Amino acid sequence: MSAACRTDQRSNRTRSRSRSRSRSRSRSRTALLTAGAAVAALALSACGSGGTSGGSGNTNFVAGKDGIATVAKGERADAPDLSGKTVDGKQLDVADYKGKVVVLNVWGSWCPPCRAEAPNFVKVAKDTADQGVQFVGINTRDASTSLAKAFEEEQGVTYPSLYDPTGKLMLRFKKGTLNPQAIPSTLIIDRDGKIAARTLQALSEANLRKMLAPVIAEK
């Protein structure tokens, strides 16, 4: 074999190895980008505008306008046991409010939509207190109660919130009722302790009142 042929063969092998390394680097970059996109999507879903479904499960919710779903009075499920320590370190059991309409709001101090809707909840809570309505929060994913307390003080929240940093209380609800990734979320519990309405997104004052009014009017 001539020296020129041997040179050409070495050159071809070098180019082949170079192309292989290039393809390997390209696949690695693609994998990293895909993984990064998945992480970003998960981070965004942890605090956003929520959605219209909390997963599968026969919960009898009927979707309506503005992301508010309701359940007919005769088809409602009981709210689960929702008891424990509050952000202030006191003991609270939502079942003690049976006979009142309970507005249950899931929130976190780390969540911008929660911050946006907080003034609406504060105002409506004050306006409806004499109509037999009790607001209760479930604070989730805050690493310490001090973060939740600072949020409450800043927003003027006076109603209690159960401290649920790991989301255990949310998992007590029947499958399909809440989506742990949809923060904030709000449920209306009727006077009999049953779940009457739900939304998996931040609420304006008008939508909060619209969601609450029919349950207050029930006899």
Side-chain angles (χ1 to χ4, degrees), residues 1 13 15 35 38 49 53-54 57 61-62 72 74 78 90 95-96 118-119 133 144 155 157 167 173 182 191 211 214:
M1 180 182 292
R13 286 195 296 270
R15 284 196 295 270
S49 60
S53 174
F61 284 110
V62 177
D78 290 327
K90 299 176 182 178
D96 291 340
V133 178
S144 70
Q155 298 294 337
V157 176
F173 286 90
R191 294 181 180 90
M211 183 178 179

Side-chain angles (χ1 to χ4, degrees), residues 24-40:
S24 179
R25 285 194 297 268
S26 178
R27 285 194 295 268
S28 297
R29 283 195 297 269
T30 300
L32 287 171
L33 288 171
T34 301
V39 170

Side-chain angles (χ1 to χ4, degrees), residues 69-91:
T70 58
V71 185
K73 192 168 184 179
E75 300 178 353
R76 295 171 185 170
D78 290 327
D81 169 41
L82 298 170
S83 61
K85 289 288 185 69
T86 66
V87 167
D88 294 327
K90 299 176 182 178
Q91 194 69 27

Side-chain angles (χ1 to χ4, degrees), residues 47-188:
C47 182
S49 60
T52 58
S53 174
S56 61
N58 182 21
T59 52
N60 296 321
F61 284 110
V62 177
K65 294 180 179 179
D66 303 313
I68 297 170
T70 58
V71 185
K73 192 168 184 179
E75 300 178 353
R76 295 171 185 170
D78 290 327
D81 169 41
L82 298 170
S83 61
K85 289 288 185 69
T86 66
V87 167
D88 294 327
K90 299 176 182 178
Q91 194 69 27
L92 174 66
D93 188 342
V94 173
D96 291 340
Y97 295 125
K98 194 169 182 177
K100 291 189 173 185
V101 175
V102 176
V103 179
L104 190 70
N105 178 241
V106 186
W107 63 278
S109 68
W110 44 269
C111 168
C114 301
R115 189 172 300 278
E117 74 172 4
N120 306 326
F121 279 74
V122 170
K123 188 174 189 309
V124 177
K126 290 178 180 178
D127 291 349
T128 58
D130 61 355
Q131 300 177 55
V133 178
Q134 175 64 50
F135 278 62
V136 177
I138 295 181
N139 172 257
T140 189
R141 300 186 206 164
D142 271 322
S144 70
T145 57
S146 60
L147 296 170
K149 287 179 184 177
F151 178 95
E152 290 182 334
E153 290 174 5
E154 178 187 334
Q155 298 294 337
V157 176
T158 58
Y159 51 83
S161 283
L162 290 162
Y163 182 55
D164 185 32
T166 59
K168 289 182 178 179
L169 292 178
M170 294 182 70
L171 296 177
R172 293 180 183 178
F173 286 90
K174 185 177 180 180
K175 186 177 181 181
T177 301
L178 287 177
N179 181 342
Q181 298 301 324
I183 309 296
S185 295
T186 300
L187 296 173
I188 306 294

